[in-house]
Amino acid sequence: MDIAFLECRDGMARRRLLWQLAEMTVSVNITPNLSPRPKTTGPLVTALLYDGLCTFEFGIVAEVFGLDRPEMGPGWYRFASSAIEPGPLRAHGGFTLTPDRGPDLLDEADIIVVPGWKGAEVDVPEALSDRLRAAHARGARLVSICSGAFVLAATGLLDGAVAATHWRYADVLRARFPMIEVDAASLYRCHGQVFTSAGSAAGIDLLIEIVKQDFGAEAANSVARRLVVPAHRTGGQAQFLERPVPVHKGGQIAPLLDRIRKMLDQDWRIDRMAAECGMSPRTFLRRFRDATGMTPGDWLTAERVEAAKALLCGGRLGIEAVAEAVGFGSAHALRHHFRTRAGLPPAAYRRHFLSTEKVTLV
Protein backbone atom coordinates (compact mmCIF):
# COMPACT_ATOMS: atom_id res chain seq x y z
CA MET A 1 0.00 0.00 0.00
CA ASP A 2 1.22 3.47 -0.82
CA ILE A 3 3.06 5.10 2.17
CA ALA A 4 1.61 8.54 1.37
CA PHE A 5 -1.92 7.10 1.53
CA LEU A 6 -1.22 5.54 4.95
CA GLU A 7 0.10 8.85 6.30
CA CYS A 8 -2.97 10.65 4.95
CA ARG A 9 -5.33 8.13 6.49
CA ASP A 10 -3.47 8.30 9.82
CA GLY A 11 -3.71 12.08 9.80
CA MET A 12 -7.46 11.97 9.18
CA ALA A 13 -7.86 9.56 12.09
CA ARG A 14 -5.93 11.88 14.40
CA ARG A 15 -8.04 14.85 13.34
CA ARG A 16 -11.24 12.84 13.87
CA LEU A 17 -10.08 11.83 17.37
CA LEU A 18 -9.19 15.42 18.28
CA TRP A 19 -12.60 16.59 17.06
CA GLN A 20 -14.36 13.98 19.20
CA LEU A 21 -12.33 14.98 22.24
CA ALA A 22 -13.15 18.64 21.68
CA GLU A 23 -16.88 17.87 21.69
CA MET A 24 -16.76 15.80 24.89
CA THR A 25 -18.37 17.39 27.96
CA VAL A 26 -16.08 17.78 30.92
CA SER A 27 -17.38 16.03 34.03
CA VAL A 28 -16.50 17.34 37.47
CA ASN A 29 -17.17 15.50 40.71
CA ILE A 30 -18.03 17.87 43.56
CA THR A 31 -16.98 15.97 46.65
CA PRO A 32 -18.20 17.41 49.95
CA ASN A 33 -15.82 17.93 52.83
CA LEU A 34 -17.73 15.55 55.08
CA SER A 35 -16.35 12.42 56.76
CA PRO A 36 -16.73 10.54 60.08
CA ARG A 37 -13.76 12.57 61.33
CA PRO A 38 -14.01 15.97 59.58
CA LYS A 39 -10.99 18.21 59.41
CA THR A 40 -12.97 21.05 60.91
CA THR A 41 -15.91 21.26 63.29
CA GLY A 42 -17.35 24.68 62.46
CA PRO A 43 -20.65 25.60 60.80
CA LEU A 44 -21.66 23.38 57.89
CA VAL A 45 -22.08 25.45 54.71
CA THR A 46 -23.78 23.99 51.68
CA ALA A 47 -24.19 25.50 48.23
CA LEU A 48 -27.05 24.42 46.00
CA LEU A 49 -26.31 22.68 42.70
CA TYR A 50 -28.92 22.77 39.94
CA ASP A 51 -29.08 22.28 36.20
CA GLY A 52 -27.78 25.47 34.62
CA LEU A 53 -25.61 26.29 37.64
CA CYS A 54 -24.06 29.78 37.74
CA THR A 55 -20.43 28.68 37.87
CA PHE A 56 -18.87 31.88 39.16
CA GLU A 57 -21.36 32.24 42.00
CA PHE A 58 -20.80 28.65 43.10
CA GLY A 59 -17.05 29.11 42.77
CA ILE A 60 -16.83 32.01 45.19
CA VAL A 61 -18.82 30.08 47.80
CA ALA A 62 -16.43 27.14 47.49
CA GLU A 63 -13.47 29.54 47.58
CA VAL A 64 -14.54 31.26 50.81
CA PHE A 65 -15.94 28.28 52.72
CA GLY A 66 -14.50 25.19 51.02
CA LEU A 67 -10.73 25.73 50.98
CA ASP A 68 -8.49 24.24 53.65
CA ARG A 69 -7.47 27.07 55.96
CA PRO A 70 -5.38 25.46 58.72
CA GLU A 71 -4.44 28.90 60.01
CA MET A 72 -8.06 29.35 61.09
CA GLY A 73 -8.00 26.39 63.46
CA PRO A 74 -10.32 23.37 63.81
CA GLY A 75 -13.45 25.51 64.25
CA TRP A 76 -13.45 26.71 60.64
CA TYR A 77 -16.33 26.02 58.28
CA ARG A 78 -17.16 22.64 56.78
CA PHE A 79 -18.33 22.77 53.19
CA ALA A 80 -20.42 20.52 50.94
CA SER A 81 -22.47 20.86 47.78
CA SER A 82 -26.10 19.80 47.63
CA ALA A 83 -27.90 18.80 44.42
CA ILE A 84 -31.55 19.84 44.47
CA GLU A 85 -32.45 17.69 41.46
CA PRO A 86 -31.20 14.46 39.87
CA GLY A 87 -27.94 14.63 37.92
CA PRO A 88 -25.94 14.88 35.90
CA LEU A 89 -26.26 18.64 36.18
CA ARG A 90 -24.89 21.08 33.62
CA ALA A 91 -23.04 24.24 34.60
CA HIS A 92 -22.20 27.39 32.67
CA GLY A 93 -18.89 26.77 30.94
CA GLY A 94 -19.59 23.46 29.25
CA PHE A 95 -19.13 20.90 32.00
CA THR A 96 -21.33 18.72 34.17
CA LEU A 97 -21.42 18.13 37.91
CA THR A 98 -21.94 14.87 39.73
CA PRO A 99 -22.51 15.80 43.37
CA ASP A 100 -22.32 13.30 46.20
CA ARG A 101 -25.19 14.63 48.30
CA GLY A 102 -28.76 15.48 47.51
CA PRO A 103 -31.31 17.87 48.99
CA ASP A 104 -31.29 15.98 52.30
CA LEU A 105 -28.09 17.88 53.15
CA LEU A 106 -30.19 21.03 53.56
CA ASP A 107 -31.67 19.46 56.69
CA GLU A 108 -28.22 19.47 58.32
CA ALA A 109 -26.64 22.69 57.08
CA ASP A 110 -26.03 25.75 59.23
CA ILE A 111 -25.63 28.07 56.23
CA ILE A 112 -27.33 27.45 52.88
CA VAL A 113 -26.14 29.46 49.88
CA VAL A 114 -28.13 29.84 46.66
CA PRO A 115 -25.48 30.67 44.00
CA GLY A 116 -27.70 32.33 41.41
CA TRP A 117 -30.71 30.73 39.77
CA LYS A 118 -31.84 29.34 36.41
CA GLY A 119 -33.65 32.53 35.46
CA ALA A 120 -35.77 35.32 36.87
CA GLU A 121 -38.94 33.76 35.44
CA VAL A 122 -38.14 30.14 36.35
CA ASP A 123 -40.34 28.81 39.15
CA VAL A 124 -38.76 27.44 42.31
CA PRO A 125 -39.76 23.85 43.18
CA GLU A 126 -42.09 23.79 46.18
CA ALA A 127 -40.08 20.95 47.70
CA LEU A 128 -37.02 23.21 47.74
CA SER A 129 -38.99 26.08 49.30
CA ASP A 130 -40.27 23.72 51.99
CA ARG A 131 -36.76 22.58 52.89
CA LEU A 132 -35.48 26.16 53.02
CA ARG A 133 -38.35 27.24 55.26
CA ALA A 134 -37.69 24.27 57.54
CA ALA A 135 -33.98 25.10 57.68
CA HIS A 136 -34.77 28.71 58.53
CA ALA A 137 -37.16 27.58 61.29
CA ARG A 138 -34.43 25.54 62.99
CA GLY A 139 -32.00 28.49 62.86
CA ALA A 140 -30.02 28.03 59.65
CA ARG A 141 -28.92 31.10 57.74
CA LEU A 142 -30.05 31.46 54.13
CA VAL A 143 -27.86 33.35 51.67
CA SER A 144 -28.42 34.28 48.02
CA ILE A 145 -26.07 35.64 45.39
CA CYS A 146 -27.38 37.68 42.45
CA SER A 147 -30.48 35.99 40.94
CA GLY A 148 -30.54 33.53 43.83
CA ALA A 149 -32.77 36.12 45.51
CA PHE A 150 -35.69 34.69 43.50
CA VAL A 151 -35.28 31.37 45.30
CA LEU A 152 -35.37 32.97 48.75
CA ALA A 153 -38.24 35.22 47.68
CA ALA A 154 -40.29 32.15 46.73
CA THR A 155 -40.10 30.90 50.33
CA GLY A 156 -42.00 33.96 51.60
CA LEU A 157 -39.25 34.61 54.14
CA LEU A 158 -38.44 37.95 52.53
CA ASP A 159 -42.00 39.32 52.64
CA GLY A 160 -41.94 42.70 54.34
CA ALA A 161 -38.14 42.83 54.16
CA VAL A 162 -35.60 44.73 52.11
CA ALA A 163 -33.69 42.48 49.70
CA ALA A 164 -30.83 43.03 47.27
CA THR A 165 -30.30 41.55 43.83
CA HIS A 166 -28.50 42.51 40.65
CA TRP A 167 -29.88 45.81 39.37
CA ARG A 168 -30.92 44.20 36.08
CA TYR A 169 -33.28 41.84 37.95
CA ALA A 170 -34.71 44.43 40.34
CA ASP A 171 -37.86 45.28 38.38
CA VAL A 172 -38.72 41.64 37.76
CA LEU A 173 -38.24 40.78 41.43
CA ARG A 174 -40.54 43.66 42.45
CA ALA A 175 -43.19 42.56 39.98
CA ARG A 176 -43.13 38.90 40.94
CA PHE A 177 -42.88 39.48 44.71
CA PRO A 178 -44.57 42.81 45.54
CA MET A 179 -44.33 42.14 49.30
CA ILE A 180 -40.55 42.61 49.11
CA GLU A 181 -38.85 46.01 49.09
CA VAL A 182 -36.13 45.56 46.46
CA ASP A 183 -32.89 47.48 46.95
CA ALA A 184 -31.28 47.85 43.52
CA ALA A 185 -28.30 49.85 44.79
CA SER A 186 -26.79 48.09 47.82
CA LEU A 187 -24.20 45.33 47.58
CA TYR A 188 -26.07 43.19 50.10
CA ARG A 189 -28.86 43.28 52.68
CA CYS A 190 -29.62 41.30 55.83
CA HIS A 191 -33.04 40.41 57.22
CA GLY A 192 -32.59 38.36 60.36
CA GLN A 193 -31.18 35.01 59.23
CA VAL A 194 -31.71 35.77 55.53
CA PHE A 195 -29.00 37.46 53.46
CA THR A 196 -29.26 38.68 49.86
CA SER A 197 -26.57 40.15 47.61
CA ALA A 198 -26.39 42.02 44.34
CA GLY A 199 -24.45 41.04 41.20
CA SER A 200 -22.07 38.12 41.21
CA ALA A 201 -18.98 39.82 42.65
CA ALA A 202 -21.09 41.43 45.40
CA GLY A 203 -21.49 37.90 46.72
CA ILE A 204 -17.84 38.01 47.73
CA ASP A 205 -18.53 41.07 49.89
CA LEU A 206 -21.46 39.33 51.57
CA LEU A 207 -19.58 36.09 52.21
CA ILE A 208 -16.65 37.98 53.74
CA GLU A 209 -19.14 39.86 55.93
CA ILE A 210 -20.51 36.52 57.14
CA VAL A 211 -16.98 35.38 57.95
CA LYS A 212 -16.51 38.62 59.88
CA GLN A 213 -19.68 38.01 61.87
CA ASP A 214 -18.67 34.44 62.71
CA PHE A 215 -14.93 34.74 63.26
CA GLY A 216 -14.11 38.45 63.52
CA ALA A 217 -12.41 41.10 61.41
CA GLU A 218 -8.98 39.46 61.46
CA ALA A 219 -10.32 36.26 59.91
CA ALA A 220 -12.31 38.23 57.32
CA ASN A 221 -9.18 40.20 56.40
CA SER A 222 -7.23 36.96 56.02
CA VAL A 223 -9.81 35.54 53.61
CA ALA A 224 -9.87 38.83 51.69
CA ARG A 225 -6.09 38.76 51.31
CA ARG A 226 -6.25 35.24 49.88
CA LEU A 227 -8.84 36.47 47.38
CA VAL A 228 -6.88 39.68 46.73
CA VAL A 229 -9.96 41.82 47.36
CA PRO A 230 -10.68 44.61 49.86
CA ALA A 231 -12.39 43.53 53.06
CA HIS A 232 -13.96 46.89 53.88
CA ARG A 233 -16.78 47.30 51.31
CA THR A 234 -20.02 47.65 53.24
CA GLY A 235 -23.44 46.39 52.21
CA GLY A 236 -24.75 49.93 51.90
CA GLN A 237 -22.20 50.79 49.24
CA ALA A 238 -23.78 51.31 45.84
CA GLN A 239 -23.36 48.50 43.33
CA PHE A 240 -23.18 50.99 40.48
CA LEU A 241 -19.84 52.46 39.47
CA GLU A 242 -19.74 55.90 41.04
CA ARG A 243 -16.86 57.27 38.94
CA PRO A 244 -18.21 57.91 35.44
CA VAL A 245 -15.90 57.00 32.59
CA PRO A 246 -16.17 59.06 29.40
CA VAL A 247 -17.51 57.03 26.50
CA HIS A 248 -15.58 59.07 23.95
CA LYS A 249 -11.87 59.25 24.67
CA GLY A 250 -11.26 61.97 22.12
CA GLY A 251 -12.91 65.31 21.61
CA GLN A 252 -13.07 68.27 23.94
CA ILE A 253 -14.93 66.76 26.91
CA ALA A 254 -12.41 64.20 28.18
CA PRO A 255 -9.54 66.71 28.64
CA LEU A 256 -11.91 68.98 30.56
CA LEU A 257 -12.83 66.13 32.92
CA ASP A 258 -9.16 65.53 33.66
CA ARG A 259 -8.64 69.24 34.44
CA ILE A 260 -11.65 69.33 36.76
CA ARG A 261 -10.46 66.27 38.69
CA LYS A 262 -7.21 68.10 39.42
CA MET A 263 -9.04 71.24 40.61
CA LEU A 264 -12.19 69.99 42.33
CA ASP A 265 -11.97 72.75 44.94
CA GLN A 266 -12.69 75.41 42.32
CA ASP A 267 -16.08 76.73 41.24
CA TRP A 268 -17.08 74.79 38.12
CA ARG A 269 -20.18 76.41 36.68
CA ILE A 270 -21.75 75.36 33.39
CA ASP A 271 -20.67 78.52 31.60
CA ARG A 272 -17.05 78.05 32.68
CA MET A 273 -17.01 74.41 31.53
CA ALA A 274 -18.58 75.34 28.21
CA ALA A 275 -16.12 78.18 27.68
CA GLU A 276 -13.13 75.89 28.32
CA CYS A 277 -14.48 73.54 25.65
CA GLY A 278 -15.19 76.39 23.23
CA MET A 279 -18.91 75.59 23.10
CA SER A 280 -22.17 77.29 23.88
CA PRO A 281 -23.74 76.11 27.16
CA ARG A 282 -26.52 74.36 25.24
CA THR A 283 -24.12 72.45 22.98
CA PHE A 284 -21.87 71.67 25.93
CA LEU A 285 -24.70 70.13 27.94
CA ARG A 286 -25.64 67.88 25.05
CA ARG A 287 -22.04 66.82 24.38
CA PHE A 288 -21.35 66.26 28.08
CA ARG A 289 -24.32 63.89 28.48
CA ASP A 290 -23.29 62.04 25.32
CA ALA A 291 -19.79 61.55 26.75
CA THR A 292 -20.63 60.64 30.34
CA GLY A 293 -24.31 59.71 30.46
CA MET A 294 -24.76 62.29 33.24
CA THR A 295 -25.38 65.98 33.76
CA PRO A 296 -22.32 68.07 34.67
CA GLY A 297 -23.72 68.63 38.16
CA ASP A 298 -24.24 64.93 38.86
CA TRP A 299 -20.83 64.04 37.47
CA LEU A 300 -19.08 66.73 39.51
CA THR A 301 -20.82 65.63 42.72
CA ALA A 302 -19.80 62.01 42.12
CA GLU A 303 -16.19 63.04 41.53
CA ARG A 304 -16.12 65.13 44.70
CA VAL A 305 -17.51 62.26 46.76
CA GLU A 306 -14.88 59.89 45.35
CA ALA A 307 -12.13 62.39 46.16
CA ALA A 308 -13.56 62.80 49.67
CA LYS A 309 -13.38 59.03 50.19
CA ALA A 310 -9.68 59.05 49.41
CA LEU A 311 -9.01 61.93 51.83
CA LEU A 312 -11.13 60.35 54.56
CA CYS A 313 -9.19 57.11 54.24
CA GLY A 314 -5.99 59.07 54.74
CA GLY A 315 -7.25 59.91 58.23
CA ARG A 316 -5.41 63.21 58.59
CA LEU A 317 -7.87 65.96 57.54
CA GLY A 318 -10.95 66.94 59.48
CA ILE A 319 -14.40 66.79 57.86
CA GLU A 320 -14.47 70.55 57.24
CA ALA A 321 -11.03 70.47 55.60
CA VAL A 322 -12.05 67.54 53.40
CA ALA A 323 -15.17 69.42 52.32
CA GLU A 324 -13.10 72.45 51.34
CA ALA A 325 -10.50 70.35 49.52
CA VAL A 326 -13.01 68.63 47.24
CA GLY A 327 -15.14 71.69 46.55
CA PHE A 328 -18.25 71.09 48.67
CA GLY A 329 -17.53 74.24 50.65
CA SER A 330 -18.97 73.08 53.97
CA ALA A 331 -19.11 69.98 56.14
CA HIS A 332 -22.91 70.06 55.91
CA ALA A 333 -22.83 69.84 52.10
CA LEU A 334 -20.25 67.05 52.24
CA ARG A 335 -22.35 65.02 54.69
CA HIS A 336 -25.46 65.44 52.57
CA HIS A 337 -23.92 64.35 49.27
CA PHE A 338 -21.72 61.68 50.85
CA ARG A 339 -24.62 59.97 52.61
CA THR A 340 -26.72 60.14 49.45
CA ARG A 341 -24.08 58.46 47.28
CA ALA A 342 -22.12 56.27 49.71
CA GLY A 343 -24.99 55.27 51.98
CA LEU A 344 -23.35 56.40 55.23
CA PRO A 345 -21.94 59.65 56.68
CA PRO A 346 -18.27 60.60 56.17
CA ALA A 347 -17.30 59.99 59.80
CA ALA A 348 -18.76 56.47 59.73
CA TYR A 349 -17.00 55.74 56.44
CA ARG A 350 -13.68 56.87 57.94
CA ARG A 351 -14.17 54.79 61.12
CA HIS A 352 -15.03 51.71 59.13
CA PHE A 353 -12.05 52.07 56.80
CA LEU A 354 -9.54 52.82 59.53
CA SER A 355 -10.77 49.87 61.62
CA THR A 356 -10.15 47.46 58.74
CA GLU A 357 -6.71 46.28 57.75
CA LYS A 358 -5.65 47.59 54.35
CA VAL A 359 -5.18 45.01 51.60
CA THR A 360 -2.28 45.35 49.19
CA LEU A 361 -3.14 44.33 45.62
CA VAL A 362 -0.26 42.64 43.83
Side-chain angles (χ1 to χ4, degrees), residues 1-306:
M1 187 176 291
D2 188 87
I3 293 177
F5 174 76
L6 290 174
E7 290 178 347
C8 179
R9 186 178 65 179
D10 185 54
M12 291 174 63
R14 284 199 301 270
R15 287 194 295 272
R16 188 180 298 111
L17 177 60
L18 290 172
W19 179 262
Q20 291 172 345
L21 289 173
E23 287 200 323
M24 288 178 62
T25 301
V26 179
S27 180
V28 180
N29 288 324
I30 304 296
T31 304
N33 184 26
L34 293 176
S35 64
R37 295 176 60 84
K39 295 180 182 179
T40 54
T41 59
L44 172 59
V45 181
T46 185
L48 303 188
L49 297 184
Y50 51 88
D51 192 39
L53 178 71
C54 297
T55 307
F56 179 85
E57 286 81 347
F58 174 83
I60 63 177
V61 183
E63 180 78 16
V64 172
F65 298 119
L67 291 187
D68 288 335
R69 300 183 189 273
E71 72 276 11
M72 296 298 186
W76 189 247
Y77 299 101
R78 295 169 291 150
F79 176 75
S81 60
S82 175
I84 62 168
E85 54 192 342
L89 307 175
R90 295 163 296 180
H92 293 172
F95 59 91
T96 61
L97 310 168
T98 308
D100 292 330
R101 293 293 297 269
D104 61 298
L105 188 58
L106 303 184
D107 302 334
E108 308 170 25
D110 300 296
I111 301 175
I112 299 171
V113 186
V114 186
W117 186 234
K118 302 180 181 187
E121 301 291 351
V122 178
D123 291 333
V124 178
E126 189 59 33
L128 174 59
S129 293
D130 289 341
R131 284 188 182 273
L132 292 175
R133 282 189 288 262
H136 180 268
R138 62 175 172 78
R141 282 172 284 177
L142 308 181
V143 181
S144 70
I145 300 174
C146 196
S147 57
F150 288 88
V151 176
L152 298 188
T155 66
L157 296 172
L158 287 173
D159 289 355
V162 180
T165 191
H166 194 291
W167 56 265
R168 66 181 295 189
Y169 300 130
D171 289 340
V172 181
L173 188 61
R174 289 189 189 99
R176 291 195 61 192
F177 302 96
M179 295 296 292
I180 300 174
E181 181 181 342
V182 180
D183 183 349
S186 295
L187 294 177
Y188 56 84
R189 298 297 298 240
C190 170
H191 175 66
Q193 301 158 225
V194 185
F195 300 77
T196 53
S197 65
S200 304
I204 299 175
D205 297 286
L206 174 54
L207 300 185
I208 290 177
E209 174 62 24
I210 291 173
V211 171
K212 182 178 178 182
Q213 292 181 11
D214 289 348
F215 293 94
E218 186 175 346
N221 291 334
S222 176
V223 173
R225 281 196 300 271
R226 286 278 295 271
L227 291 169
V228 198
V229 297
H232 66 271
R233 293 214 300 172
T234 64
Q237 192 167 341
Q239 57 175 294
F240 300 102
L241 288 174
E242 294 187 12
R243 179 176 293 279
V245 180
V247 177
H248 306 294
K249 299 298 181 183
Q252 299 157 292
I253 299 297
L256 171 68
L257 303 186
D258 291 335
R259 290 197 298 274
I260 294 175
R261 289 189 181 109
K262 295 176 183 178
M263 300 180 288
L264 286 171
D265 60 319
Q266 295 189 13
D267 183 13
W268 289 99
R269 299 172 183 248
I270 299 295
D271 54 356
R272 177 185 175 183
M273 295 184 190
E276 294 212 10
C277 291
M279 303 177 189
S280 68
R282 184 174 180 179
T283 300
F284 170 76
L285 288 172
R286 185 177 69 253
R287 297 279 180 84
F288 192 96
R289 184 176 286 278
D290 289 342
T292 68
M294 306 173 71
T295 67
D298 287 343
W299 180 88
L300 183 58
T301 298
E303 289 295 325
R304 283 172 168 163
V305 168
E306 288 299 309

